[in-house]
Amino acid sequence: MECGIIALTDIALYSENGEPVTVCSISKRQNISIKYLEQILMILRQSHLVRSQKGSRGGYVVGKPPEKITLREVLDALDVTILGDTVFNDSEKESELKDIIDEKLWNKMTVYLREFSQSITLAEIIEQYRKSLAKTGDFMYYI
């Protein structure tokens, strides 16, 4: 999950000038294996969060502006069960305590996480990352 957010953020940041970002460059910068990145990027591409460009100067670019991509959209693309409804085995007899725990804990946490992740955009993550890079001097171009 986290690697997918990292890969998408890297692509959005390093493709701002329109140049595609290669899997190798993401792998080197973010220390994620190429094989794993390829799996993640396939999912992000199927969800239209990134587009692939073929050719000698090929790679990936974001599928839409980062300010239009929410963290919830990314999480849903990578694993729809993360923010999905909690469903337990219905074959066992329902208990009142389980119902109370579902209502007071799991359902409220799920609603909160959905709202929270919907309020964060990829653009905000990129901006925070730029600030971090500027402090360390690792990415002087974006200061």
Side-chain angles (χ1 to χ4, degrees), residues 1 9 13 19 22 25 39 45 47 58 60 65 71 75-76 95-96 102-103 106 117 120 127 137 140:
M1 185 70 54
T9 303
L13 181 63
E19 289 291 316
T22 66
S25 64
Q39 294 172 10
R45 189 173 45 90
S47 300
Y60 291 87
L71 184 56
L75 293 174
D76 284 344
S95 77
E96 189 173 333
D102 285 350
E103 180 185 334
W106 301 123
S117 63
I120 299 171
E127 188 57 34
M140 298 303 291

Side-chain angles (χ1 to χ4, degrees), residues 55-72:
S56 61
R57 299 188 52 101
Y60 291 87
V61 296
V62 289
K64 58 185 177 179
E67 56 275 359
K68 302 245 186 228
I69 299 174
T70 66
L71 184 56
R72 179 173 179 182

Side-chain angles (χ1 to χ4, degrees), residues 106-121:
W106 301 123
N107 294 343
K108 288 183 180 189
M109 275 183 23
T110 300
V111 168
Y112 172 77
L113 289 173
R114 286 176 183 162
E115 291 171 356
F116 179 73
S117 63
Q118 186 67 33
S119 72
I120 299 171
T121 66

Side-chain angles (χ1 to χ4, degrees), residues 128-140 142-143:
Q128 188 66 41
Y129 185 50
R130 276 192 184 124
K131 289 177 184 176
S132 173
L133 292 173
K135 285 181 186 176
T136 62
D138 288 342
F139 198 52
M140 298 303 291
Y142 284 98
I143 296 178

